[in-house]
Amino acid sequence: MMGMGSLSDSDDDFNPEINTTPLVDVMLVLLIIFIMTIPVMNHAVKIDLPRASNQPDQTKPENINLAIDADGKVFWNEEPVDHNELALRIATAAQKQPQPELHLRAARTVQYEKVAQVMAAAQSGGLGKIGFVTEPDTK
């Protein structure tokens, strides 16, 4: 029998069995992953959480609109005031709780010195929050 071989030939090293070692390695890795992740997904500490309302406790203070026109005149909520009246109103507004914010609007051509005087009066009067109001650029 030429060219015909049988499975019993001793010179042939062919092994027909399937190598299952890589399959076992993959299964062991998957088993370890499942063992580590399942307790994490099911583990939860049961506690009784406190309940709170979402309403704010403080009322928002009213804002003070302070305007300086091109001539340097100061307006407190659209009422004209002089320097002494401005200092008095700032001092009384600083005593309110919660303290209101000062929104300062100044004309483009007003001198910087006038704006600095108003800011100094607000600081010496005790107002802590000053905001500058500008118009958006429409270009």
Side-chain angles (χ1 to χ4, degrees):
M1 299 226 260
M2 218 163 116
M4 301 278 258
S6 67
L7 293 177
S8 62
D9 287 347
S10 63
D11 61 342
D12 196 354
D13 290 337
F14 178 71
N15 186 3
E17 294 180 14
I18 297 175
N19 187 4
T20 58
T21 306
L23 179 65
V24 171
D25 290 345
V26 169
M27 293 304 290
L28 285 175
V29 168
L30 288 175
L31 180 66
I32 291 171
I33 289 173
F34 283 127
I35 288 174
M36 292 175 62
T37 57
I38 287 175
V40 172
M41 293 187 327
N42 292 333
H43 182 70
V45 177
K46 298 201 183 304
I47 56 174
D48 189 17
L49 294 174
R51 290 172 177 75
S53 65
N54 59 356
Q55 299 297 326
D57 293 339
Q58 277 188 3
T59 57
K60 187 159 174 72
E62 59 187 45
N63 296 327
I64 301 165
N65 292 316
L66 196 68
I68 306 172
D69 66 359
D71 297 330
K73 294 179 189 170
V74 180
F75 295 89
W76 180 282
N77 289 337
E78 300 179 10
E79 288 180 38
V81 291
D82 62 350
H83 185 69
N84 294 332
E85 179 72 19
L86 177 66
L88 181 65
R89 287 191 183 193
I90 287 174
T92 54
Q95 300 301 321
K96 292 182 183 178
Q97 289 298 327
Q99 200 175 66
E101 289 184 21
L102 181 70
H103 291 181
L104 182 60
R105 293 182 301 131
R108 237 180 261 202
T109 57
V110 74
Q111 292 183 354
Y112 179 73
E113 180 183 2
K114 191 64 177 174
V115 175
Q117 287 173 355
V118 169
M119 289 174 54
Q123 184 181 15
S124 64
L127 281 179
K129 294 182 181 177
I130 301 175
F132 294 96
V133 180
T134 61
E135 291 184 9
D137 192 11
T138 58
K139 290 184 181 179

